[in-house]
Amino acid sequence: TCKTFMACLAFSMVLADTFSSLLETGRNGTLLSVTLLVLTPLCLMKDLKSLAPFSLLGVMGMTYTAVAMTVRWLDGSYSMDGEQVGTLAAEVAKHLRPSFGNLGVQSVFTTNALIL
């Protein structure tokens, strides 16, 4: 039950962050509203069969996102090779671009890889 509570809390925090940025409202009020108005009624349902179509919708959304990201990756939009950057990466300021280091696979076998 503790894991379930923590999962619900994490999910409500993600929803609250999303809605507060979309609606430009405060995070605490949005967190309380989302938890009370959206998640609590879902948790009180005795039969979850009515949520099945929304599960399918979620899977379809994740599939669409994966396909769109794969297409963008294959056409080089995410490329960050040296000075030549892809179209999407060029829109991000240089100091905000991610840096993953240059160790590659060797970094998996260091002691830092064990730190979560």
Side-chain angles (χ1 to χ4, degrees), residues 14-79:
V14 168
L15 285 177
D17 287 341
T18 302
F19 284 126
S20 66
S21 65
L22 288 175
L23 302 174
E24 298 179 357
T25 59
R27 184 178 185 270
N28 292 338
T30 307
L31 178 63
L32 186 64
S33 300
V34 165
T35 303
L36 290 177
L37 299 175
V38 177
L39 294 179
T40 302
L42 290 174
C43 291
L44 295 175
M45 292 178 65
K46 293 188 190 272
D47 185 18
L48 299 179
K49 193 179 285 189
S50 61
L51 297 178
F54 299 103
S55 176
L56 178 63
L57 184 67
V59 169
M60 289 172 41
M62 291 180 68
T63 304
Y64 172 77
T65 302
V67 168
M69 289 178 68
T70 302
V71 168
R72 289 290 196 155
W73 178 67
L74 290 174
D75 75 2
S77 297
Y78 297 140
S79 175

